């Protein structure tokens, strides 16, 4: 059998396994809606949030952070050099948010009432802010991905309309968000005036116009994603009596944001490496080395933040007590931070594709452990109950992820997701 035939057979087998997992997950999700959440999970009064929140929501949203990280740190400030990373990252983020929404609907006790937040506003609620940010950011990601569709079907006129209209849609969404969250009309008017003035400056050539993506669209994505990445940490500030002191901190929103930046960068490296292997492309190593450098700085920032926070809160002794919480903490730090940081700070490893890939995998594992520690392992039940994920909880999550991977593969095979304009010859 030739190498090409072996690769196709391997891809066919992998797609078959993913399809099987997706089918099982979808079937179990329907079973959950037919019989109730208790039939497919071990959630209880002591642990109303379990594996679905820790993995599907907290981890999934953080891994989708590559969308705003690439748009903010690279595409807006790095110029054309990073363009090959943008479309795949936006697609990953877009699908990631859609999967998060699907998983959340499975987890919610009454998912048919989720639309209530659009008309019943609770300005002081972190969950209200997260819900609105996710809803609006998913819309932004959809708008950012539309050029791929226009290019696939050669819809030049639609593309021109999109370039003209999408910045104003982004402004409308930002103003709507301000109205929903800010209860002072003067602030809303000021925000709207600044956004409109900026966009007029772009259209009249006073402000630089991005040649590929409207700047206002990217700015809206960065704002929405930044706000709800931190607000996911804010959710746990309401449980100081339940969350272990190792993780409970007034800085939880900052912890969640900085760790999401690191996870987003790691996901860019993992996605780029795996897609290159899957679709027979060469890895953009000349770009991933820069991403790896930024990832090292993000890990250092997060380590410094966590370390100083633990010291100033006087929690150091808790880390020396041998119990499930301290073991889980050290697993999170060693696996997800110290080992990958050591790899990324070693020059010969930091410029190696395989080492960049595996260090990023460790960062992603560390993020998952952190989110699971905050949402499950670090929680103490007042009812003396324990929680272990039901196999159906894991199967449903695996099915949702598998479905997302299959959709990603289909889109990449049938749409111009991977483009390499402006790529230097040395990158090959």
């Amino acid at each position: 059998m030739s190498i090409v035939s072996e690769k196709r057979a391997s891809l066919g087998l992998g797609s078959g396994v993913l399809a099987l997992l997706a089918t099982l997950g979808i079937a179990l999700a329907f079973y959950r809606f037919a019989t109730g959440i208790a039939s497919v999970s071990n959630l209880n009064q002591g642990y109303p949030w379990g594996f679905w929140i820790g993995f599907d929501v907290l981890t999934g949203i953080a891994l989708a952070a590559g969308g705003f990280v690439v748009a903010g740190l690279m595409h807006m400030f790095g110029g054309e050099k990073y363009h090959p990373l943008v479309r795949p990252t936006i697609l990953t983020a877009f699908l990631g948010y859609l999967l998060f929404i699907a998983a959340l609907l499975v987890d919610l006790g009454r998912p048919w009432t989720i639309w209530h937040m659009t008309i019943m506003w609770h300005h002081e609620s972190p969950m209200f802010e997260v819900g609105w940010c996710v809803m609006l950011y998913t819309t932004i990601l959809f708008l950012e991905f539309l050029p791929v569709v226009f290019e696939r079907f050669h819809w030049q006129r639609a593309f021109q309309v999109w370039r003209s209209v999408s910045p104003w849609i982004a402004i409308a969404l930002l103003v709507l968000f301000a109205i929903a969250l800010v209860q002072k009309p003067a602030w809303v008017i000021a925000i709207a005036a600044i956004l409109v003035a900026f966009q007029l400056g772009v259209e009249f050539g006073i402000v630089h116009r991005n040649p590929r993506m409207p700047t206002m669209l990217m700015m809206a994505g960065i704002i929405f994603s930044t706000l709800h990445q931190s607000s996911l940490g804010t959710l746990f500030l309401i449980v100081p009596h339940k969350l272990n002191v190792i993780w409970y901190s007034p800085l939880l929103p900052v912890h969640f944001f900085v760790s999401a930046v690191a996870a987003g960068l790691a996901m860019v490296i993992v996605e780029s490496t795996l897609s290159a292997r899957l679709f027979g492309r060469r890895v953009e190593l000349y770009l991933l080395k820069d991403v790896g450098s930024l990832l090292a700085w993000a890990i250092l920032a997060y380590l410094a933040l966590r370390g100083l926070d633990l010291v100033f809160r006087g929690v150091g002794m808790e880390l020396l007590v041998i119990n499930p919480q301290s073991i889980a903490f050290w697993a999170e730090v060693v696996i997800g931070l110290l080992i990958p940081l050591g790899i990324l700070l070693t020059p010969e490893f930091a410029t190696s594709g395989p080492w960049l890939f595996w260090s990023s995998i460790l960062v992603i594992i560390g993020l998952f452990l952190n989110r699971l520690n905050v949402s499950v392992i670090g929680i103490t039940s007042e009812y003396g109950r324990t929680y272990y994920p039901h196999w159906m909880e894991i199967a449903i999550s695996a099915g949702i992820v598998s479905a997302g991977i299959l959709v990603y593969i289909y889109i990449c095979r049938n749409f111009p997701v991977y483009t390499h304009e402006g790529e230097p010859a040395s990158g090959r």
Side-chain angles (χ1 to χ4, degrees):
M1 182 182 290
S2 67
I3 295 177
V4 175
S5 299
E6 289 179 358
K7 185 174 181 179
R8 288 178 178 174
S10 176
L11 289 176
L13 178 61
S15 297
V17 173
L18 290 173
L20 182 63
L21 289 174
T23 302
L24 175 62
I26 293 172
L28 290 175
F30 277 109
Y31 177 69
R32 169 261 182 272
F33 286 117
T35 62
I37 197 170
S39 62
V40 300
S41 77
N42 287 331
L43 298 174
N44 53 62
Q45 293 297 328
Y47 290 89
W49 285 0
F51 181 80
W52 284 335
I53 295 298
F55 177 74
D56 298 342
V57 177
L58 301 183
T59 302
I61 286 293
L63 294 182
F68 89 91
V69 172
V70 168
L73 297 181
M74 296 179 185
H75 200 51
M76 286 187 69
F77 305 110
E80 292 294 293
K81 176 181 178 182
Y82 297 103
H83 176 65
L85 297 178
V86 174
R87 284 186 173 183
T89 304
I90 288 176
L91 174 59
T92 302
F94 182 43
L95 292 178
Y97 275 80
L98 291 179
L99 295 178
F100 151 70
I101 293 170
L104 185 62
L105 291 176
V106 175
D107 180 71
L108 290 177
R110 293 187 296 169
W112 51 85
T113 64
I114 194 171
W115 62 273
H116 284 186
M117 69 175 181
T118 61
I119 60 172
M120 301 176 184
W121 294 0
H122 301 278
H123 305 277
E124 298 82 8
S125 169
M127 299 187 87
F128 173 72
E129 189 265 352
V130 169
W132 265 69
C133 278
V134 169
M135 177 177 63
L136 298 178
Y137 185 48
T138 304
T139 305
I140 293 294
L141 287 170
F142 170 74
L143 292 172
E144 289 180 334
F145 188 71
L146 275 180
V148 178
V149 179
F150 298 149
E151 185 176 329
R152 166 66 176 81
F153 295 105
H154 307 288
W155 292 344
Q156 292 298 325
R157 188 183 180 106
F159 176 76
Q160 294 303 324
V161 172
W162 169 86
R163 280 196 63 84
S164 301
V165 174
S166 59
W168 296 103
I169 296 177
I171 290 174
L173 294 179
L174 287 168
V175 173
L176 178 62
F177 181 74
I179 294 172
L181 270 295
V182 180
Q183 301 182 51
K184 296 182 178 180
W187 278 104
V188 175
I189 294 172
I191 291 170
I194 292 172
L195 294 174
V196 170
F198 180 89
Q199 182 55 30
L200 290 175
V202 172
E203 296 194 359
F204 286 104
I206 302 173
V207 180
H208 172 69
R209 177 189 291 267
N210 190 289
R212 296 189 182 275
M213 184 74 68
T215 303
M216 183 57 67
L217 198 61
M218 291 187 290
M219 288 175 57
I222 293 168
I223 292 170
F224 288 135
S225 190
T226 298
L227 288 172
H228 79 262
Q229 291 288 357
S230 59
S231 293
L232 287 171
T234 305
L235 294 178
F236 292 90
L237 293 180
I238 64 174
V239 289
H241 56 292
K242 296 186 68 173
L243 183 57
N244 190 282
V245 293
I246 294 177
W247 293 282
Y248 185 84
S249 166
L251 295 179
L252 259 179
V254 184
H255 291 174
F256 267 56
F257 173 74
V258 178
S259 60
V261 171
L265 291 168
M267 194 63 188
V268 170
I269 295 175
V270 169
E271 179 276 328
S272 183
T273 304
L274 290 179
S275 62
R277 182 178 179 85
L278 179 63
F279 301 113
R281 303 182 303 105
R282 292 186 180 181
V283 178
E284 299 98 341
L285 187 57
Y286 72 105
L287 297 178
L288 298 189
K289 288 188 292 186
D290 290 351
V291 180
S293 178
L294 287 172
L295 177 57
W297 281 107
I299 294 174
L300 280 171
Y302 184 61
L303 273 173
L305 179 67
R306 289 290 300 274
L308 290 173
D309 178 54
L310 289 169
V311 169
F312 283 109
R313 289 192 296 113
V315 186
M317 295 304 297
E318 296 289 335
L319 307 179
L320 303 179
V321 179
I322 300 178
N323 56 36
Q325 286 72 33
S326 64
I327 293 173
F329 170 82
W330 285 113
E332 163 196 331
V333 170
V334 173
I335 295 173
L337 298 173
L338 296 180
I339 295 178
L341 181 61
I343 294 173
L344 294 171
L345 292 181
T346 305
E348 55 267 33
F349 294 159
T351 56
S352 166
W355 281 106
L356 283 171
F357 173 78
W358 287 111
S359 62
S360 300
I361 288 290
L362 290 176
V363 171
I364 291 172
I365 293 173
L367 177 94
F368 168 64
L369 292 176
N370 171 260
R371 298 307 195 250
L372 202 63
N373 286 339
V374 172
S375 61
V376 178
I377 296 175
I379 296 293
T380 301
S381 172
E382 298 176 348
Y383 301 92
R385 298 185 179 185
T386 58
Y387 166 80
Y388 298 96
H390 194 287
W391 73 268
M392 291 188 189
E393 291 180 67
I394 298 174
I396 290 174
S397 295
I400 292 173
V401 172
S402 298
I405 295 174
L406 288 173
V407 173
Y408 181 91
I409 293 173
Y410 173 81
I411 293 176
C412 288
R413 284 177 173 171
N414 294 277
F415 289 81
V417 173
Y418 293 99
T419 56
H420 299 276
E421 295 90 327
E423 180 175 350
S426 59
R428 287 293 187 183

